[in-house]
Amino acid sequence: MVLHETKIRLSKAVLFRDAFTGEPVSSGIRIHSLSGGRVEKKSDGYFLFLDVGDKELTIETKSPIYQPRRFTLQADAGAEVSEALLYPSPSYPLRAGNTAVRGRTLPGRALKFHLEDERSCCRLISDYKKGEAEISFYRKGGMKNVLWHIRKKQGKKGEYFALGQADGEAEVFRLGEPLETAYLKKDTVIYPAQETIADEEGMFYLLLGDMPQEPCKLHYFYKDEAGQACGEAEILRAKDNYVDLCKEEKK
C-alpha cells in the first residue's frame, strides 16, 4: 500500500483578546469554525484555522464569562494575523472598584466607549498625518488596550482607532485603519477605549476599571446601517449602572 502525504493548509490565524484587559485569551473559551476545517489552539491567545474550503471563515465563540460572538473573516492562508475581542459578560469576575454598565440599544449594534480621565490620558510622540498606516504615542502604565479614542485638545469630537498589534514596549503601532484627520503632537489627547456589541434583545454590558471622581461622563459612539450618533451618559463609580441609549437618543 502506498502512503500519500496529507498537506494541512493554514486558512487563517487569529489572536483573541480580552476587551477589558487587552490580554490574550487561550483558556475558558470554545472556538468553532462554521465554515468547516479544524481549529488548533496555540499559545498566548493564538488560534489556527486549518483546511477551510471557503474564501470566508465564519467563527463562533462561547465562554462562561464572555459574551458569545459570531463573525466572519477572509481566509488568507495566514498572511496576516487578525485580532478578535472577547467582551465580558455579566458573569465576568468583578474586582473591587470595577464599574459595570448595563444598557439597551438596537440589537446587534456595535458600541464604542471611553472616559476622559486625565490619569490615563496619553500623548502623541510625533505628529500624525491623515491616512498614515502607523501612529506613535506613549501608553501609560503598560496599557494593553486595542481600542483608543483620539481628539484635538480643544475639540469636542474625535475618532476611535484600533491597533494592529498592542503587545510589547513599542511606541509605534500599526493602525487597523488609517485615521480620517491629521493630529498634531502639541494639540492632541488620546484615551483608552472599549467596545461591546448588543445582543439579540438589544441589551449590552460593559466593564470599566478604576474611574476618576464621580459622577463621571461615559462617552459613547456608534455607526451602522441605522445611522450614527455620539453622546455621553452619567455613571457612578464602583456601581452597577444602567444606560438606556434608546432614551438618550430621543432627547
Side-chain angles (χ1 to χ4, degrees):
M1 182 174 64
V2 179
L3 297 177
H4 296 282
E5 182 182 356
T6 301
K7 222 173 198 181
I8 299 175
R9 296 175 301 169
L10 173 60
S11 302
K12 188 65 185 174
V14 182
L15 171 60
F16 289 87
R17 288 187 184 275
D18 184 309
F20 177 51
T21 66
E23 295 284 353
V25 178
S26 296
S27 60
I29 56 172
R30 288 179 292 165
I31 309 294
H32 181 57
S33 168
L34 301 181
S35 304
R38 64 187 182 89
V39 183
E40 181 177 314
K41 183 173 77 170
K42 309 300 285 187
S43 61
D44 299 325
Y46 288 92
F47 287 78
L48 304 182
F49 295 84
L50 309 171
D51 289 326
V52 176
D54 297 334
K55 294 182 180 180
E56 288 188 336
L57 168 66
T58 300
I59 299 169
E60 185 178 71
T61 70
K62 293 183 179 180
S63 166
I65 63 172
Y66 295 106
Q67 301 173 40
R69 286 204 64 188
R70 180 180 292 189
F71 55 94
T72 299
L73 298 171
Q74 294 294 320
D76 61 4
E80 184 174 349
V81 177
S82 293
E83 294 197 2
L85 295 178
L86 298 175
Y87 307 117
S89 75
S91 300
Y92 193 93
L94 291 173
R95 294 182 179 179
N98 285 350
T99 301
V101 180
R102 303 169 191 264
R104 183 173 71 97
T105 187
L106 290 183
R109 171 166 282 165
L111 302 160
K112 295 180 173 62
F113 301 89
H114 76 280
L115 295 168
E116 298 199 348
D117 180 4
E118 187 60 32
R119 295 172 302 173
S120 60
C121 181
C122 300
R123 310 286 180 181
L124 285 175
I125 295 175
S126 58
D127 296 345
Y128 175 83
K129 295 181 181 179
K130 177 181 176 180
E132 287 184 329
E134 293 183 336
I135 189 169
S136 178
F137 70 101
Y138 294 108
R139 293 185 298 175
K140 287 186 177 179
M143 293 178 181
K144 295 184 178 180
N145 293 66
V146 176
L147 190 68
W148 298 80
H149 183 265
I150 185 170
R151 68 168 173 82
K152 297 179 180 180
K153 287 182 181 179
Q154 303 305 319
K156 293 184 177 180
K157 294 184 179 180
E159 56 186 309
Y160 292 90
F161 66 91
L163 301 181
Q165 291 291 337
D167 286 330
E169 301 299 324
E171 295 175 339
V172 179
F173 307 97
R174 178 172 55 83
L175 291 166
E177 294 183 1
L179 301 180
E180 298 177 355
T181 303
Y183 294 95
L184 299 177
K185 173 183 175 181
K186 64 180 181 179
D187 185 37
T188 300
V189 289
I190 302 174
Y191 299 99
Q194 292 192 54
E195 65 178 340
T196 191
I197 298 178
D199 64 19
E200 58 189 14
E201 296 180 352
M203 304 305 295
F204 66 85
Y205 181 79
L206 183 71
L207 190 60
L208 302 171
D210 188 27
M211 290 169 44
Q213 71 282 353
E214 58 183 13
C216 216
K217 295 294 186 182
L218 179 66
H219 299 264
Y220 67 86
F221 172 81
Y222 68 79
K223 181 179 181 180
D224 53 29
E225 294 179 353
Q228 70 176 58
C230 62
E232 56 186 36
E234 189 172 281
I235 58 173
L236 299 177
R237 179 173 54 191
K239 302 292 184 181
D240 197 343
N241 296 267
Y242 181 77
V243 177
D244 190 337
L245 292 188
C246 294
K247 185 180 295 185
E248 290 287 331
E249 290 153 16
K250 291 179 181 178
K251 290 183 179 179

